[in-house]
Amino acid sequence: MQKYYKIVTFGCQMNVHESEKIAGTLESLGYRETKDEKDADVVVFNTCCVRGSAEQKALGNIGALKPIKKQKKDMIIAVCGCMTQEAKMAEYVYKTFPFVNIVFGTHNSYRFKEYLLEVLEKKKRVFKVVDDEQKLPIEVESFRTSGHNAWVNIMYGCNNFCTYCIVPFVRGREKSRPMEEIVAECKKLVEEGYKEITLLGQNVNSYGNTFKNGKNNFAELLKEIDNLEGEFVLKFLTSHPKDLSEEVVKVIAESKHISHMIHLPVQCGSDKILKLMNRNYTVEHYLKTIDMIKSYIPDVNLSTDIIVGFPGETEEDFESTLELIKKVRYNTLFGFIYSKRTGTPAEKMENQVPMTIKKERVNKLLALQREIEKEKFQEFLGKTIKVLMIDRKHDKVFGKTDCGINVIINGVEEFKVDFVNVKINDIKNTKLIGEIVDE
């Protein structure tokens, strides 16, 4: 009889890709995906702990399975990811939800197959949360679920210890994969027809720092992948402002395949707050980096993350952030309200900002960004740009630019996932509208 699985993923792109690896394991064992947990023989919750809301949502979803598990006693429920890498949370899940069969963390996720088979054979619960061993995890075959895009891990862990962030505690120290292994994976993906490859790391700019030869850095990795034959777009997430080098920007500017989108999280426009965050750069350094990027890549699409309401943030600090946004003029901005994370230095900092003020500030921040985005979109009118067609719904074809901007393409007779040149004739909200033209 056919058996089914369902994976529920919370959090970042790193978690999305790790869920693809878990799916790869289940597919290799003969399971097939289902969207309905009532039909699932295995349910996996891949959790996040960056914000408290993500943890509460995960716990709520786990608890909701209790009545289903009562009716379907052979169902196996596994909980993994960043939330369960925290020892206290892992123990809480294990004790609070006795119907959960497997609890494991981030450092040993590649051993999921072993844990699943142990439950099936021995009919006993498995609790396996291990500390970071400073070893690269074994790469597991993925069952890719992100359509035209393929995620590729280039490194794991983080060495930055921003005072608001739990990631170094649940992901461990930086570990870089061998360059030849990454390039071989990307080559295979291009040959399989993937049109977009996104390199993943908590701080991709520090790729290779742990290598002894000192040669294989992020710029060299980008060059090697860019030299691959085929038609594809290469992207990466995420850069740290203190580490993004001129060498990397030059490689992007001179490349054939690398997207002109750079995500450079600034987090705040106040030097005082940046220091409290332990970001290790100043506003002046950040703005000089932006100027350097624009000098090499005039059509760069810049995006950023900003945290509003960090402990000690005054109205003056917040106004400095708004001024920085006006200077940089981001194409895309992700604004977040500061959330306390247990075990981080910021949790115990004085002058915590009231939630009412946080909400007011984030709304003001996003309103400013919407105005800038409207103006930035006008710059596309009349231009011809390269677009990847990715989907067709009824008579409309949807695509994305290499920088991730949504495009509606009119008049397409034969649809397939491929690159086309589109002349932009109109704008609707955050979508460009155009038609295919000859080169």
Side-chain angles (χ1 to χ4, degrees), residues 253-380:
E254 296 167 1
S255 70
K256 303 186 295 289
H257 300 112
I258 305 174
S259 169
H260 283 193
M261 176 180 70
I262 296 179
H263 184 64
L264 200 63
V266 66
Q267 305 301 6
C268 186
S270 160
D271 283 342
K272 182 193 83 179
I273 300 299
L274 289 175
K275 188 174 182 179
L276 287 171
M277 289 178 167
N278 193 37
R279 292 292 288 173
N280 292 306
Y281 56 82
T282 62
V283 172
E284 181 183 12
H285 171 88
Y286 184 89
L287 291 175
K288 282 183 178 178
T289 302
I290 294 294
D291 288 341
M292 181 268 290
I293 293 169
K294 289 180 177 180
S295 70
Y296 284 106
I297 314 172
D299 66 339
V300 67
N301 186 304
L302 289 166
S303 60
T304 198
D305 295 338
I306 289 178
I307 295 173
V308 170
F310 188 79
E313 183 187 70
T314 63
E315 195 62 33
E316 184 180 357
D317 295 321
F318 176 66
E319 288 297 328
S320 296
T321 298
L322 297 181
E323 287 304 311
L324 183 140
I325 293 168
K326 292 173 185 176
K327 287 178 183 177
V328 178
R329 293 179 60 78
Y330 297 101
N331 296 77
T332 308
L333 183 151
F334 302 95
F336 304 97
I337 288 175
Y338 168 72
S339 172
K340 281 186 183 182
R341 303 313 302 127
T342 302
T344 61
E347 177 200 10
K348 297 177 181 177
M349 285 184 180
E350 296 179 352
N351 301 315
Q352 297 284 334
V353 180
M355 181 56 73
T356 52
I357 295 177
K358 290 179 185 178
K359 288 181 178 178
E360 287 174 6
R361 288 178 183 172
V362 79
N363 288 335
K364 191 173 181 180
L365 179 95
L366 295 176
L368 170 61
Q369 180 59 27
R370 283 193 292 271
E371 291 303 312
I372 293 172
E373 284 181 14
K374 284 180 185 177
E375 294 170 7
K376 298 284 283 186
F377 265 74
Q378 294 297 319
E379 297 171 7
F380 287 98

Side-chain angles (χ1 to χ4, degrees), residues 225-275:
I225 301 173
D226 187 54
N227 286 333
L228 293 174
E229 295 295 325
E231 194 171 18
F232 65 97
V233 173
L234 180 64
K235 298 181 177 182
F236 56 85
L237 292 168
T238 291
S239 291
H240 195 294
K242 72 178 176 61
D243 295 316
L244 180 62
S245 69
E246 189 170 358
E247 182 186 12
V248 165
V249 175
K250 282 182 180 179
V251 170
I252 297 169
E254 296 167 1
S255 70
K256 303 186 295 289
H257 300 112
I258 305 174
S259 169
H260 283 193
M261 176 180 70
I262 296 179
H263 184 64
L264 200 63
V266 66
Q267 305 301 6
C268 186
S270 160
D271 283 342
K272 182 193 83 179
I273 300 299
L274 289 175
K275 188 174 182 179

